[in-house]
Amino acid sequence: MVHKALLFIFGLWVLQGVLSYVQITHYRKTLSRLKCKGKVLVGHEKGKFKPGSIILLVIDDNGVIIDVEEMKGISVFDRFRKKDIYIGKSIDELSKELKQQKKDTITTKAIKKALEGLE
């Protein structure tokens, strides 16, 4: 009985490792696809008992946001999704908007961390 339980736990551990590998592969493919468009800024915010967020901001030479993708969630099944509301804004515009917000969300915290990489 104990052996079956240990084998089951080991199987779940291996499955989690395989799914994590798939997610990391997806992250790398998305990152290399976005690097072809321009400079990529990466920001992340971990959630303790709530979903975390990884944000990829692509900017051109003038500091205008070309593309934004976010992976938000708590499981290895999460994928990047496009965030159109930030596209076309300049980095300065976005920084001002984020400073004016009263409450930070997981997404805005991740964006702020991505913008810190620029400075």
Side-chain angles (χ1 to χ4, degrees), residues 18-97:
V18 169
L19 292 174
S20 293
Y21 175 78
V22 170
Q23 188 178 42
I24 290 168
T25 303
H26 174 69
Y27 172 80
R28 287 182 181 162
K29 285 180 183 177
T30 303
L31 189 59
S32 69
R33 177 176 47 85
L34 293 176
K35 280 183 179 179
C36 295
K37 294 181 178 182
K39 183 176 181 179
V40 179
L41 304 175
V42 180
H44 62 87
E45 184 65 28
K46 293 181 181 179
K48 301 276 187 213
F49 296 105
K50 55 187 175 185
S53 176
I54 299 174
I55 197 103
L56 303 174
L57 291 171
V58 184
I59 59 171
D60 65 8
D61 295 333
N62 299 323
V64 177
I65 299 170
I66 300 171
D67 201 354
V68 181
E69 293 201 17
E70 179 185 32
M71 182 189 301
K72 187 175 186 178
I74 56 174
S75 77
V76 293
F77 298 110
D78 299 317
R79 297 287 177 253
F80 280 100
R81 290 179 175 77
K82 200 172 205 61
K83 300 285 278 190
D84 292 330
I85 60 172
Y86 302 113
I87 296 175
K89 295 182 181 182
S90 71
I91 295 296
D92 296 331
E93 260 182 272
L94 184 58
S95 294
K96 287 177 186 174
E97 276 184 30

